[in-house]
Amino acid sequence: MCAHVLVAEDDEMQAELIRRSLLAEGHTATVVHDGAAALDAVRRDRPDLVVLDLMLPVIDGFGVCRVLRRDDDIPVLMLTARSTEDDVLLGLELGADDYMTKPYSPRELMARIRTILRRSGRAVTDRRDDPVVRAAGISVDPERHEVRCDGEPVECTPAEFEILLAMAAEPERVFSRRQLLQCTRGLDRASTERAVDVHIMNLRRKIEADPRKPVRLLTVFGVGYKLSGGRP
């Protein structure tokens, strides 16, 4: 199943982890960090499903769900750090299709999303079976944890792999150092934004013909880095 999912989560690290998990599943994702932005994104993008944190600023998740159920039938998966029965029941009474209590497993979250999409019939059924992400002559396999460049295997550290996976999933997108650091924090909590520069330098040695004159992994001065070359 391939779907467009709106992620409404004020914790930027959690939102990025969900976004990358969705991309690895073959979905597309829009991320917002408050309830008002979530409602705007629903009207603008018409997503197939909303992953909705209850503790959003501006308009909380309960308020967002009320509006969605009044105006639309988009499936909603609620995320809550408050596991009391009253909170759960209120969310379900407002029309949430399912809920998950934090902390949760990303794998379980993706399984719940697949179930909701299948039940709602909103997902496109001709989703690719191939999980490999390809861009700029590079292929990244999140299941086998393998990277190839022009068909040749490339040995990557876990942090390098996560950075390359995120960038290959969205070629030409410019990632800030902070965003790339969020890709690695679960692997190396001692990392700093300057450590990202080291990871990029090491990746260039592995995927560029001349690391001093990169044509794939480019610096966007004053902003960050991007993987250039697009999809095959």
Side-chain angles (χ1 to χ4, degrees):
M1 290 175 287
C2 179
H4 180 66
V5 180
L6 173 64
V7 179
E9 166 64 76
D10 66 332
D11 185 312
E12 292 187 9
M13 185 181 297
Q14 286 294 320
E16 178 64 14
L17 289 172
I18 297 171
R19 187 189 69 83
R20 288 195 291 124
S21 295
L22 288 165
L23 292 176
E25 287 274 313
H27 304 301
T28 58
T30 298
V31 175
V32 296
H33 301 298
D34 67 69
L39 292 174
D40 288 342
V42 167
R43 298 183 187 105
R44 181 184 66 245
D45 300 332
R46 307 300 302 165
D48 298 301
L49 181 144
V50 179
V51 176
L52 181 64
D53 180 32
L54 286 183
M55 303 300 289
L56 291 173
V58 186
I59 303 174
D60 67 14
F62 292 122
V64 172
C65 196
R66 285 189 185 95
V67 175
L68 291 180
R69 281 298 164 263
R70 185 188 68 205
D71 299 339
D72 215 312
D73 62 349
I74 294 172
V76 174
L77 171 59
M78 278 190 164
L79 305 178
T80 175
R82 306 187 303 188
S83 59
T84 66
E85 185 179 30
D86 287 346
D87 288 332
V88 171
L89 290 176
L90 178 57
L92 295 175
E93 287 171 0
L94 288 172
D97 294 83
D98 200 354
Y99 72 93
M100 293 190 68
T101 302
K102 298 178 181 180
Y104 52 81
S105 158
R107 179 176 294 182
E108 182 184 359
L109 177 62
M110 292 303 109
R112 298 281 191 96
I113 287 173
R114 285 194 297 272
T115 298
I116 294 173
L117 289 172
R118 185 164 51 246
R119 191 167 60 216
S120 69
R122 284 178 169 261
V124 177
T125 55
D126 61 348
R127 175 193 179 276
R128 64 181 186 186
D129 292 323
D130 183 2
V132 179
V133 178
R134 297 178 176 86
I138 296 165
S139 64
V140 186
D141 187 335
E143 292 186 357
R144 294 183 175 85
H145 212 272
E146 294 177 351
V147 175
R148 290 183 176 271
C149 180
D150 296 329
E152 296 298 319
V154 176
E155 294 294 328
C156 291
T157 67
E160 292 166 3
F161 182 89
E162 294 296 333
I163 288 173
L164 201 54
L165 176 60
M167 299 182 82
E170 297 185 81
E172 305 298 340
R173 173 187 169 182
V174 180
F175 289 81
S176 68
R177 288 179 176 84
R178 182 181 179 186
Q179 288 169 330
L180 292 175
L181 179 61
Q182 288 174 346
C183 296
T184 70
R185 272 191 173 160
L187 304 168
D188 183 1
R189 295 185 181 276
S191 289
T192 66
E193 290 187 16
R194 297 303 300 173
V196 171
D197 295 335
V198 176
H199 294 316
I200 294 293
M201 179 179 65
N202 290 336
L203 280 169
R204 282 174 172 162
R205 292 193 184 112
K206 298 173 181 182
I207 67 173
E208 299 283 1
D210 184 350
R212 295 169 298 178
K213 299 178 180 179
V215 296
R216 288 183 169 115
L217 197 45
L218 305 181
T219 300
V220 180
F221 291 100
V223 184
Y225 299 101
K226 71 174 182 179
L227 186 65
S228 184
R231 298 196 183 281

